[in-house]
Amino acid sequence: MRPMKTESAPTALIAEDEPLLASALTAELARAWPELKVLAIVGDGVAAVTLTLEHRPDVVFFDIRMPGMSGLEAAAELANEWTITERGGSPFPALVFVTAYDHYAVQAFEAQAMDYLLKPVQAERLQKTVLRLQQVLASRTLRQQSPNEPATNFDAGLDGTLAQLRRLLAPPASVVATAPLKLIQVSVGTVIRMVPLEEVVYFEAADKYIRVLTPRHEYLIRTPLRELLPQLDSQQFWQIHRATVVQVQAIETVMRDEAGKCWLQLRARPEKLAVSRLYAHLFKAM
Protein backbone atom coordinates (compact mmCIF):
# COMPACT_ATOMS: atom_id res chain seq x y z
CA MET A 1 0.00 0.00 0.00
CA ARG A 2 1.25 3.47 -0.86
CA PRO A 3 2.23 5.51 2.24
CA MET A 4 -0.04 8.45 2.95
CA LYS A 5 0.60 11.68 4.78
CA THR A 6 -1.57 11.81 7.89
CA GLU A 7 -4.19 14.56 7.94
CA SER A 8 -2.85 17.50 9.89
CA ALA A 9 -2.29 21.24 9.64
CA PRO A 10 -0.92 22.29 6.23
CA THR A 11 2.78 23.13 6.18
CA ALA A 12 5.01 25.47 4.18
CA LEU A 13 8.61 26.47 3.60
CA ILE A 14 9.68 29.97 2.57
CA ALA A 15 12.82 30.56 0.48
CA GLU A 16 13.60 34.29 0.51
CA ASP A 17 17.03 35.88 0.82
CA GLU A 18 15.77 39.22 2.18
CA PRO A 19 14.90 38.77 5.90
CA LEU A 20 12.46 41.68 6.05
CA LEU A 21 10.49 40.39 3.07
CA ALA A 22 10.51 36.88 4.50
CA SER A 23 9.14 38.19 7.80
CA ALA A 24 6.48 40.22 5.99
CA LEU A 25 5.33 37.21 3.97
CA THR A 26 5.22 35.07 7.11
CA ALA A 27 3.09 37.67 8.90
CA GLU A 28 0.70 38.04 5.96
CA LEU A 29 0.34 34.27 5.71
CA ALA A 30 -0.48 34.07 9.41
CA ARG A 31 -3.38 36.47 8.84
CA ALA A 32 -4.58 34.95 5.58
CA TRP A 33 -4.14 31.29 6.54
CA PRO A 34 -3.90 30.84 10.35
CA GLU A 35 -3.82 27.04 10.09
CA LEU A 36 -0.69 27.04 7.93
CA LYS A 37 2.49 26.10 9.78
CA VAL A 38 5.71 27.59 8.36
CA LEU A 39 8.36 24.93 9.00
CA ALA A 40 11.41 26.94 7.95
CA ILE A 41 12.62 30.13 6.30
CA VAL A 42 15.81 29.86 4.23
CA GLY A 43 17.80 32.36 2.20
CA ASP A 44 19.13 30.34 -0.72
CA GLY A 45 18.02 27.71 -3.20
CA VAL A 46 20.33 24.94 -2.02
CA ALA A 47 19.03 25.11 1.55
CA ALA A 48 15.47 25.27 0.24
CA VAL A 49 15.93 22.01 -1.67
CA THR A 50 17.61 20.28 1.27
CA LEU A 51 14.99 21.25 3.87
CA THR A 52 12.05 20.61 1.55
CA LEU A 53 13.28 17.07 0.95
CA GLU A 54 13.71 16.64 4.69
CA HIS A 55 10.40 18.10 5.90
CA ARG A 56 8.14 17.52 2.85
CA PRO A 57 5.95 20.63 3.26
CA ASP A 58 2.68 20.98 1.40
CA VAL A 59 3.66 24.36 -0.09
CA VAL A 60 6.97 26.05 -0.96
CA PHE A 61 7.26 29.80 -1.57
CA PHE A 62 10.30 30.43 -3.80
CA ASP A 63 11.82 33.86 -4.32
CA ILE A 64 12.68 34.02 -8.03
CA ARG A 65 16.06 35.71 -7.55
CA MET A 66 18.26 34.24 -4.83
CA PRO A 67 22.05 34.00 -4.61
CA GLY A 68 23.54 31.00 -6.35
CA MET A 69 20.57 28.89 -7.39
CA SER A 70 17.48 30.82 -8.50
CA GLY A 71 14.00 29.94 -7.31
CA LEU A 72 13.18 28.30 -10.64
CA GLU A 73 16.42 26.32 -10.64
CA ALA A 74 15.82 25.23 -7.04
CA ALA A 75 12.31 24.08 -7.93
CA ALA A 76 13.69 22.04 -10.83
CA GLU A 77 16.38 20.51 -8.61
CA LEU A 78 13.76 19.71 -5.99
CA ALA A 79 11.60 17.93 -8.56
CA ASN A 80 14.60 15.91 -9.68
CA GLU A 81 15.56 14.85 -6.16
CA TRP A 82 11.95 14.18 -5.15
CA THR A 83 11.69 11.53 -7.85
CA ILE A 84 15.09 9.99 -7.15
CA THR A 85 14.40 9.57 -3.43
CA GLU A 86 11.10 7.83 -4.17
CA ARG A 87 8.68 9.65 -1.91
CA GLY A 88 5.95 7.16 -2.65
CA GLY A 89 2.48 8.63 -2.36
CA SER A 90 3.63 11.94 -0.87
CA PRO A 91 2.64 14.56 -3.51
CA PHE A 92 5.12 17.09 -4.78
CA PRO A 93 4.64 20.43 -2.97
CA ALA A 94 2.49 23.15 -4.47
CA LEU A 95 4.82 25.92 -5.68
CA VAL A 96 4.36 29.68 -5.41
CA PHE A 97 7.00 31.99 -6.87
CA VAL A 98 7.61 35.43 -5.41
CA THR A 99 9.12 38.18 -7.54
CA ALA A 100 9.61 41.93 -7.54
CA TYR A 101 9.55 42.06 -11.34
CA ASP A 102 6.00 42.73 -12.52
CA HIS A 103 6.70 42.49 -16.27
CA TYR A 104 8.61 39.21 -15.85
CA ALA A 105 5.95 37.69 -13.61
CA VAL A 106 3.04 38.52 -15.87
CA GLN A 107 4.76 37.17 -18.98
CA ALA A 108 6.23 34.07 -17.38
CA PHE A 109 3.46 32.92 -15.07
CA GLU A 110 0.10 34.04 -16.40
CA ALA A 111 -0.18 30.99 -18.65
CA GLN A 112 1.07 28.54 -16.03
CA ALA A 113 -0.79 26.49 -13.45
CA MET A 114 1.73 27.63 -10.83
CA ASP A 115 0.94 30.72 -8.82
CA TYR A 116 3.05 33.80 -8.21
CA LEU A 117 3.10 36.79 -5.89
CA LEU A 118 4.53 40.24 -6.52
CA LYS A 119 6.65 42.07 -3.95
CA PRO A 120 5.58 43.70 -1.76
CA VAL A 121 2.92 41.06 -1.15
CA GLN A 122 -0.59 42.50 -1.11
CA ALA A 123 -3.14 40.99 1.28
CA GLU A 124 -5.88 40.73 -1.36
CA ARG A 125 -3.64 38.96 -3.87
CA LEU A 126 -2.29 36.63 -1.18
CA GLN A 127 -5.82 35.69 -0.16
CA LYS A 128 -6.53 34.53 -3.72
CA THR A 129 -3.33 32.47 -3.68
CA VAL A 130 -4.25 30.92 -0.33
CA LEU A 131 -7.70 29.96 -1.61
CA ARG A 132 -6.15 28.34 -4.65
CA LEU A 133 -3.64 26.43 -2.53
CA GLN A 134 -6.34 25.22 -0.17
CA GLN A 135 -8.31 23.86 -3.12
CA VAL A 136 -5.23 22.09 -4.47
CA LEU A 137 -4.42 20.50 -1.10
CA ALA A 138 -8.02 19.44 -0.51
CA SER A 139 -8.09 17.74 -3.91
CA ARG A 140 -4.84 15.95 -3.15
CA THR A 141 -6.14 14.72 0.19
CA LEU A 142 -9.21 13.22 -1.45
CA ARG A 143 -7.04 11.42 -4.02
CA GLN A 144 -4.72 10.06 -1.34
CA GLN A 145 -7.64 8.70 0.65
CA SER A 146 -9.12 6.93 -2.35
CA PRO A 147 -8.19 3.21 -2.23
CA ASN A 148 -8.60 2.95 -6.01
CA GLU A 149 -6.39 5.91 -6.88
CA PRO A 150 -3.50 4.70 -9.09
CA ALA A 151 0.00 5.72 -7.99
CA THR A 152 0.69 7.02 -11.50
CA ASN A 153 -1.69 9.93 -10.86
CA PHE A 154 0.78 11.33 -8.33
CA ASP A 155 3.59 11.08 -10.91
CA ALA A 156 1.37 12.81 -13.47
CA GLY A 157 1.09 15.85 -11.20
CA LEU A 158 4.87 16.05 -10.93
CA ASP A 159 5.25 15.62 -14.68
CA GLY A 160 2.92 18.59 -15.19
CA THR A 161 5.04 20.69 -12.84
CA LEU A 162 8.20 19.70 -14.71
CA ALA A 163 6.65 20.70 -18.04
CA GLN A 164 5.81 24.12 -16.64
CA LEU A 165 9.30 24.56 -15.19
CA ARG A 166 10.86 23.70 -18.56
CA ARG A 167 8.85 26.48 -20.18
CA LEU A 168 9.72 28.97 -17.46
CA LEU A 169 13.44 28.13 -17.59
CA ALA A 170 13.67 28.25 -21.39
CA PRO A 171 15.39 31.34 -22.84
CA PRO A 172 12.87 33.95 -24.03
CA ALA A 173 12.37 33.94 -27.78
CA SER A 174 13.72 37.49 -27.90
CA VAL A 175 17.20 36.38 -26.77
CA VAL A 176 17.56 33.23 -28.87
CA ALA A 177 20.34 33.77 -31.39
CA THR A 178 19.24 33.87 -35.03
CA ALA A 179 22.59 32.41 -36.13
CA PRO A 180 23.97 29.73 -33.75
CA LEU A 181 27.62 29.83 -32.76
CA LYS A 182 30.08 27.98 -34.96
CA LEU A 183 33.22 28.58 -32.87
CA ILE A 184 34.11 28.98 -29.21
CA GLN A 185 37.02 31.28 -28.38
CA VAL A 186 39.09 29.92 -25.49
CA SER A 187 42.28 31.21 -23.87
CA VAL A 188 45.22 28.83 -23.61
CA GLY A 189 47.97 30.78 -21.87
CA THR A 190 48.62 33.81 -24.04
CA VAL A 191 46.97 32.21 -27.09
CA ILE A 192 43.31 32.32 -28.08
CA ARG A 193 42.20 29.09 -29.69
CA MET A 194 39.15 28.85 -31.94
CA VAL A 195 37.34 25.61 -31.06
CA PRO A 196 34.74 24.44 -33.60
CA LEU A 197 31.40 23.62 -31.98
CA GLU A 198 31.37 20.16 -33.56
CA GLU A 199 34.47 19.29 -31.49
CA VAL A 200 32.71 20.08 -28.19
CA VAL A 201 31.36 16.98 -26.43
CA TYR A 202 29.69 18.87 -23.59
CA PHE A 203 29.65 22.07 -21.53
CA GLU A 204 29.53 22.05 -17.75
CA ALA A 205 28.99 25.08 -15.51
CA ALA A 206 31.50 25.25 -12.65
CA ASP A 207 31.48 28.23 -10.26
CA LYS A 208 32.07 31.34 -12.41
CA TYR A 209 33.29 29.36 -15.41
CA ILE A 210 32.06 26.89 -18.00
CA ARG A 211 34.16 23.82 -18.69
CA VAL A 212 34.34 23.12 -22.41
CA LEU A 213 35.09 19.42 -22.98
CA THR A 214 36.35 18.04 -26.29
CA PRO A 215 37.54 14.45 -26.83
CA ARG A 216 41.09 15.31 -25.80
CA HIS A 217 41.03 18.71 -24.12
CA GLU A 218 39.32 20.78 -21.48
CA TYR A 219 39.05 24.57 -21.61
CA LEU A 220 37.49 27.23 -19.39
CA ILE A 221 35.42 30.19 -20.51
CA ARG A 222 33.79 32.91 -18.41
CA THR A 223 30.47 33.13 -20.26
CA PRO A 224 27.58 32.12 -17.94
CA LEU A 225 25.64 29.08 -19.14
CA ARG A 226 22.39 31.05 -19.31
CA GLU A 227 24.06 33.39 -21.82
CA LEU A 228 25.67 30.60 -23.84
CA LEU A 229 22.52 28.48 -24.21
CA PRO A 230 20.62 30.84 -26.54
CA GLN A 231 23.65 30.92 -28.84
CA LEU A 232 23.74 27.14 -29.33
CA ASP A 233 21.82 25.18 -31.95
CA SER A 234 19.08 23.48 -29.92
CA GLN A 235 19.04 20.56 -32.38
CA GLN A 236 22.76 19.98 -31.88
CA PHE A 237 23.11 20.66 -28.13
CA TRP A 238 20.66 19.52 -25.44
CA GLN A 239 20.58 20.72 -21.88
CA ILE A 240 20.37 17.62 -19.65
CA HIS A 241 20.92 19.26 -16.26
CA ARG A 242 20.88 22.81 -14.94
CA ALA A 243 24.70 22.77 -15.23
CA THR A 244 25.26 20.50 -18.25
CA VAL A 245 24.71 20.81 -22.01
CA VAL A 246 25.74 17.91 -24.25
CA GLN A 247 26.21 17.51 -28.00
CA VAL A 248 23.53 15.05 -29.13
CA GLN A 249 25.78 13.20 -31.56
CA ALA A 250 28.33 12.62 -28.78
CA ILE A 251 25.88 10.41 -26.85
CA GLU A 252 26.55 6.68 -27.18
CA THR A 253 23.90 5.19 -24.86
CA VAL A 254 21.32 6.20 -22.27
CA MET A 255 21.06 4.07 -19.13
CA ARG A 256 18.60 4.05 -16.26
CA ASP A 257 19.70 2.94 -12.80
CA GLU A 258 17.66 1.18 -10.10
CA ALA A 259 16.46 4.50 -8.70
CA GLY A 260 15.12 5.49 -12.12
CA LYS A 261 17.80 8.08 -12.82
CA CYS A 262 19.12 8.43 -16.39
CA TRP A 263 22.84 8.49 -17.23
CA LEU A 264 24.56 9.17 -20.54
CA GLN A 265 27.58 7.26 -21.83
CA LEU A 266 29.55 9.37 -24.30
CA ARG A 267 31.36 8.30 -27.47
CA ALA A 268 34.58 10.24 -26.94
CA ARG A 269 34.77 10.89 -23.18
CA PRO A 270 34.93 8.45 -20.24
CA GLU A 271 32.55 10.40 -17.97
CA LYS A 272 28.95 9.37 -17.41
CA LEU A 273 26.62 12.37 -17.33
CA ALA A 274 23.55 12.53 -15.10
CA VAL A 275 20.24 13.57 -16.67
CA SER A 276 17.94 15.49 -14.36
CA ARG A 277 14.25 14.60 -14.14
CA LEU A 278 13.49 17.93 -15.81
CA TYR A 279 15.12 16.80 -19.07
CA ALA A 280 14.53 13.02 -18.99
CA HIS A 281 11.66 13.47 -21.49
CA LEU A 282 14.30 14.02 -24.20
CA PHE A 283 15.32 10.37 -24.04
CA LYS A 284 12.47 8.13 -25.11
CA ALA A 285 12.79 5.21 -27.50
CA MET A 286 11.25 5.90 -30.91
Side-chain angles (χ1 to χ4, degrees), residues 71-81 92 95 162 165 169 242 276-278:
L72 290 172
E73 291 171 336
E77 185 69 15
L78 176 61
N80 186 52
E81 294 300 320
F92 190 70
L95 303 181
L162 288 166
L165 286 171
L169 285 164
R242 70 182 182 86
S276 78
R277 181 73 167 80
L278 190 66

Side-chain angles (χ1 to χ4, degrees), residues 112-126:
Q112 308 299 327
M114 296 174 184
D115 211 343
Y116 70 92
L117 294 168
L118 295 177
K119 301 178 185 179
V121 175
Q122 302 297 316
E124 183 178 355
R125 179 67 178 83
L126 180 60

Side-chain angles (χ1 to χ4, degrees), residues 206-274:
D207 297 324
K208 297 180 180 180
Y209 297 89
I210 291 180
R211 298 172 64 215
V212 181
L213 288 300
T214 69
R216 296 183 179 180
H217 301 284
E218 174 180 335
Y219 308 101
L220 293 177
I221 59 175
R222 288 183 176 270
T223 305
L225 190 60
R226 65 179 178 273
E227 293 181 13
L228 177 65
L229 267 172
Q231 302 179 64
L232 299 176
D233 184 342
S234 61
Q235 300 300 310
Q236 182 182 6
F237 287 92
W238 288 357
Q239 184 167 15
I240 60 167
H241 187 276
R242 70 182 182 86
T244 312
V245 176
V246 64
Q247 183 182 166
V248 178
Q249 296 201 26
I251 301 170
E252 176 70 33
T253 57
V254 183
M255 298 161 287
R256 192 179 298 273
D257 62 22
E258 294 181 356
K261 186 174 182 179
C262 289
W263 296 84
L264 304 185
Q265 181 66 59
L266 305 172
R267 299 183 191 279
R269 298 281 311 185
E271 304 92 340
K272 290 183 180 180
L273 303 182

Side-chain angles (χ1 to χ4, degrees), residues 2-6 8-13 36-40 47-60 78 81-83 85-95 137 140 144:
R2 188 171 69 246
M4 293 192 301
K5 193 171 183 176
T6 56
S8 58
T11 56
L13 182 140
L36 183 70
K37 181 180 180 182
V38 176
L39 300 176
V49 172
T50 300
L51 290 183
T52 300
L53 289 171
E54 179 181 346
H55 295 296
R56 288 185 288 167
D58 298 300
V59 185
V60 180
L78 176 61
E81 294 300 320
W82 196 273
T83 303
T85 52
E86 297 182 356
R87 292 299 180 181
S90 181
F92 190 70
L95 303 181
L137 298 186
R140 288 181 176 181
Q144 280 186 295

